[in-house]
Amino acid sequence: MEKQIRCKTELFPTISATIYGSGNPVNILLLHGFPADSSLWRSLIPLLADKYCLIVPDLPGVGESTFVGDELSMEAVASAMITLLDELKVEQAIVAGHSMGGYIAMAIAALYGSRLAGIAMIHSGATADNEEKVASRQKAITLIEKGGKKAFVEAMIPSLFAEDFRSQHPEVVNAQREQALQVEELSLVSFYKAMIKRPDRLDVLRSAPFPIQWVLGAEDTLAAPSKIMQQTRLGNVNFVVIYKNSSHMAMLECPVQLANDLGHFTDYCTAQLTAHLPA
Ligand code: MLT
């Protein structure tokens, strides 16, 4: 089963999402990263939709979803995702966020924690940008604003994939590059500004009442395991997987493994939740 839904908030005239599958009482909200849209999940969806209900939005400013002005924040997007869950009458969901999608998941946890049955942090982390990262984002913003979107995308996209995968599946890397080129300059810049100003959320991990899954790629330099591993010990219940042959794109590099792991995590969170429901 597949259906389209649209809702809006003050800042976002259209939030568009596709709903796949049904069956499991706990839905999975899949939040894509940057610079992507909901098509990032294309290989994963058919592997999960038989058993789980997936809510797959385009984040504001990409695909079918829009925003007004140039002020984006992780918190505003988090609030729009809650509006989407309200529209769907979903009380609690598992939020699976890829990279920037994980930063949004952290904002949901900070502001609307009771709506979460679990969080899957896919190549993502809970700390703020350090000075070096802020400087590199500012450099990229300047490049994009001077008309260098193509150069930015051409340099960034291949670096997200593991070397072997890149040489064996150039068509997947190309598709991702083409998709990133569709994203408007204003959206790219607004997302980078929003990431620069996102706060550290380690306290959210420390006090998380829900289970957290961590998906890491051994070859990932953006969300490097050496950096993220310390964070995986902070929550109360943590599931950690490190994929040997993956960099930053497990949903495309090893979708079968990711679908299995996300499915097991969802089963665990569902069992936890239903155990606490009145008979
Ligand atoms: C992403 O994959 O969403 C971004 O690369 C995250 C980031 O730039 O921090």
Side-chain angles (χ1 to χ4, degrees):
M1 198 177 79
E2 183 179 324
K3 77 173 191 233
Q4 221 41 58
I5 172 160
R6 280 168 187 250
C7 63
K8 61 178 172 183
T9 69
E10 221 167 277
L11 216 50
F12 309 127
T14 313
I15 297 292
S16 168
T18 310
I19 320 299
Y20 299 88
S22 58
N24 199 63
V26 179
N27 299 250
I28 310 174
L29 174 63
L30 288 172
L31 302 183
H32 64 78
F34 168 97
D37 63 21
S38 56
S39 68
L40 179 79
W41 303 109
R42 58 192 176 278
S43 304
L44 200 67
I45 289 166
L47 301 169
L48 287 170
D50 273 356
K51 188 165 170 204
Y52 304 99
C53 178
L54 311 172
I55 306 167
V56 192
D58 283 326
L59 295 178
V62 299
E64 306 274 306
S65 298
T66 56
F67 68 90
V68 285
D70 62 357
E71 271 298 307
L72 263 188
S73 66
M74 296 301 139
E75 292 76 16
V77 180
S79 146
M81 293 304 108
I82 294 300
T83 304
L84 178 62
L85 294 185
D86 287 346
E87 193 78 18
L88 290 163
K89 303 197 176 3
V90 170
E91 197 54 47
Q92 283 187 307
I94 291 165
V95 177
H98 173 239
S99 203
M100 184 182 71
Y103 310 157
I104 296 162
M106 284 290 111
I108 296 177
L111 302 173
Y112 310 97
S114 64
R115 306 296 296 269
L116 295 173
I119 278 191
M121 296 287 279
I122 304 171
H123 309 300
S124 191
T127 52
D129 281 353
N130 61 21
E131 272 177 36
E132 196 188 338
K133 189 74 197 176
V134 170
S136 81
R137 289 202 204 278
Q138 270 157 351
K139 223 170 126 188
I141 289 172
T142 308
L143 173 68
I144 296 164
E145 285 179 337
K146 284 187 173 158
K149 176 172 95 172
K150 191 157 188 288
F152 170 74
V153 167
E154 300 278 341
M156 181 181 189
I157 297 297
S159 75
L160 303 177
F161 292 89
E163 208 177 319
D164 280 355
F165 185 88
R166 221 165 41 217
S167 55
Q168 283 160 24
H169 300 279
E171 74 292 350
V172 177
V173 182
N174 281 338
Q176 214 46 40
R177 181 189 293 120
E178 286 310 310
Q179 194 282 301
L181 284 169
Q182 302 294 315
V183 183
E184 303 277 347
E185 278 85 349
L186 178 62
S187 301
L188 294 174
V189 167
S190 299
F191 275 125
Y192 255 16
K193 288 184 179 166
M195 284 191 256
I196 288 175
K197 66 182 184 205
R198 79 188 192 280
D200 182 289
R201 298 282 192 197
L202 291 178
D203 277 353
V204 170
L205 297 180
R206 290 192 187 99
S207 58
F210 42 76
I212 306 172
Q213 182 180 45
W214 298 89
V215 174
L216 308 174
E219 294 191 35
D220 192 353
T221 50
L222 245 158
S226 58
K227 186 174 109 188
I228 305 294
M229 277 308 281
Q230 304 155 19
Q231 300 178 28
T232 68
R233 299 189 189 98
L234 298 179
N236 286 314
V237 181
N238 297 287
F239 293 70
V240 185
V241 286
I242 306 184
Y243 299 142
K244 196 169 129 210
N245 300 320
S246 163
S247 174
H248 194 65
M249 302 296 264
M251 70 295 296
L252 294 168
E253 293 168 315
C254 49
V256 174
Q257 272 168 291
L258 180 58
N260 281 337
D261 290 326
L262 193 52
H264 287 144
F265 179 67
T266 302
D267 293 344
Y268 176 84
C269 295
T270 306
Q272 290 297 106
L273 206 68
T274 44
H276 294 107
L277 289 177

